Amino acid sequence: MTNRPRSRGEPALTERLLIADVVNKRMQELHLTNPELGRLTGLNAALISNLRNARNNATLDTLARVAHALEIRVADLFLRRTD
């Protein structure tokens, strides 16, 4: 295995966009705002906003908190929905 640098973050961006899509849809289903999800997770609303707009690389801890608050599995954050 070589230590090639990623091509300008493209794979990470794709995953961030997928996570953002899942979080946005689930928040709409639960009628949650950024501050409300922030309270449920212990994260600030700005971090929630960045996650929803695919602007940050979230840690596993952050993803676990968000998934728990959204009543889904962490793995669900990476699954493309077809509905």
Side-chain angles (χ1 to χ4, degrees), residues 8-63:
R8 305 279 310 163
E10 186 62 32
L13 177 60
T14 301
E15 296 304 317
R16 287 195 317 262
L17 289 169
L18 181 57
I19 291 167
D21 184 54
V22 172
V23 169
N24 283 317
K25 286 179 180 173
R26 188 64 180 143
M27 285 180 69
Q28 286 175 353
E29 291 170 358
L30 297 174
H31 306 287
L32 290 174
T33 64
N34 290 356
E36 290 169 336
L37 184 57
R39 279 191 294 280
L40 291 171
T41 60
L43 304 169
N44 67 49
L47 190 146
I48 300 297
S49 176
N50 286 338
L51 182 66
R52 293 182 69 191
N53 290 293
R55 282 185 275 195
N56 68 348
N57 287 316
T59 65
L60 182 56
D61 179 66
T62 296
L63 296 177

